[in-house]
Amino acid sequence: MRTPLVAGNWKLNKTIPEACKLVTELLPGLQTVSGVEIVLCPPFTALMMISILLEGTDIHLGAQNMYWEKEGAYTGEVSPLMLKDLCQYVILGHSERRKYFGETDQDINRKVKAALAHNLIPIVCVGETLEENEAGRAAEVVSKQVKAGLTGVSVTEGSQLVIAYEPVWAIGTGRAATPEGVHTVIRNVIRPIMAGILGENMAQFVRVLYGGSVKPDNAAEFFGKPEIDGALVGGASLNATDFVRIARAASQK
Ligand code: PGA
């Protein structure tokens, strides 16, 4: 019922020529993958060129962050109005934004609402740290982040929403969470919280991705779980062969 989605988060990597090269390497493989929505999230500087390279394909583009105001005296920021000409998606609240740039749940909520108001699909990231996990607080932390992130989002807007569950300890560490553990968090925590805000039907409609050390060798196991609707891929999205293999694994879902 929910179309699988695989998004590549390139983070702070790739100059414009490097980004174009990667897209050129990705395209032949990605275009053979069916039944999966694919989103590339390069740095802002490469969005324009890549949007041209993706013309005529059904591969989508996303940004990695955004400010909530649409214009004004906010030096260095990029607005939803600027992004909506270039891309369809925007990653919001990634744990690296929370950790290194001090983004709060309230900031993320403002961004989510601004993205939705401008017809950008937010990929809202949530996930507990290692410390929180070891203290048995994963459910509490994730439910608070989902609740705060979606405050004020209407039921109809819920149809244009993606959640990414990314335990912080699994990101970039090579130590992925277990598919069973992720499935349980989504089923027992994320969907019930969404149901409280958006209603049961919409909560079942929203795609929830897993992120954290997803590789070609473990992707199929995650996609085998009914609650895991795809992946937000960091490191492995910078390698064309690996990213195509992950997208292909999602098409088996
Ligand atoms: P990773 O990153 O795949 O390199 O662990 C995932 C993410 O940060 O979105």
Side-chain angles (χ1 to χ4, degrees):
M1 189 185 82
R2 300 183 292 259
T3 305
L5 191 158
V6 172
N9 174 10
W10 296 8
K11 308 192 179 184
L12 186 60
N13 293 290
K14 304 293 175 190
T15 61
I16 297 171
E18 287 167 350
C20 292
K21 182 167 173 279
L22 179 55
V23 172
T24 312
E25 291 166 359
L26 282 165
L27 273 178
L30 289 183
Q31 286 182 294
T32 66
V33 177
S34 59
V36 181
E37 199 173 339
I38 295 164
V39 184
L40 305 180
C41 304
F44 288 129
T45 44
L47 283 172
M48 183 71 203
M49 275 305 291
I50 297 185
S51 73
I52 294 168
L53 294 178
L54 294 183
E55 259 171 35
T57 75
D58 50 14
I59 298 164
H60 291 126
L61 253 190
Q64 298 172 19
N65 180 33
M66 178 198 93
Y67 192 53
W68 57 78
E69 293 290 347
K70 66 177 197 294
E71 59 191 13
Y74 305 101
T75 302
E77 293 296 321
V78 171
S79 88
L81 205 57
M82 296 163 182
L83 288 178
K84 73 176 201 178
D85 288 334
L86 291 165
C87 48
Q88 300 79 37
Y89 285 82
V90 57
I91 298 171
L92 295 176
H94 190 280
S95 63
E96 288 149 16
R97 300 292 322 164
R98 296 177 190 258
K99 180 175 171 198
Y100 301 125
F101 303 98
E103 285 193 15
T104 64
D105 281 336
Q106 197 194 14
D107 295 336
I108 295 157
N109 178 244
R110 285 192 177 130
K111 293 181 178 197
V112 168
K113 287 190 286 196
L116 290 167
H118 289 90
N119 295 319
L120 285 162
I121 303 175
I123 300 176
V124 185
C125 302
V126 298
E128 80 286 358
T129 63
L130 181 62
E131 200 185 19
E132 289 160 344
N133 184 279
E134 285 175 344
R137 295 180 51 222
E140 173 207 329
V141 170
V142 170
S143 62
K144 179 174 164 280
Q145 289 174 341
V146 174
K147 221 177 268 174
L150 303 190
T151 299
V153 172
S154 70
V155 176
T156 45
E157 287 176 322
S159 63
Q160 296 295 330
L161 189 73
V162 175
I163 303 280
Y165 172 49
E166 302 203 302
V168 179
W169 47 271
I171 296 177
T173 58
R175 187 185 154 201
T178 65
E180 292 73 23
V182 173
H183 175 86
T184 305
V185 171
I186 298 173
R187 189 193 53 202
N188 294 356
V189 181
I190 297 179
R191 287 207 199 276
I193 296 287
M194 285 200 294
I197 300 166
L198 304 170
E200 184 58 40
N201 286 347
M202 193 50 76
Q204 291 302 325
F205 181 89
V206 173
R207 287 172 294 181
V208 183
L209 316 180
Y210 166 69
S213 300
V214 174
K215 306 285 176 220
D217 295 342
N218 63 15
E221 237 190 299
F222 285 103
F223 301 149
K225 296 288 171 199
E227 287 288 10
I228 303 176
D229 302 317
L232 181 55
V233 184
S237 72
L238 297 171
N239 177 296
T241 311
D242 286 354
F243 191 65
V244 171
R245 282 179 64 196
I246 294 168
R248 205 163 275 148
S251 74
Q252 309 297 314
K253 205 173 160 58

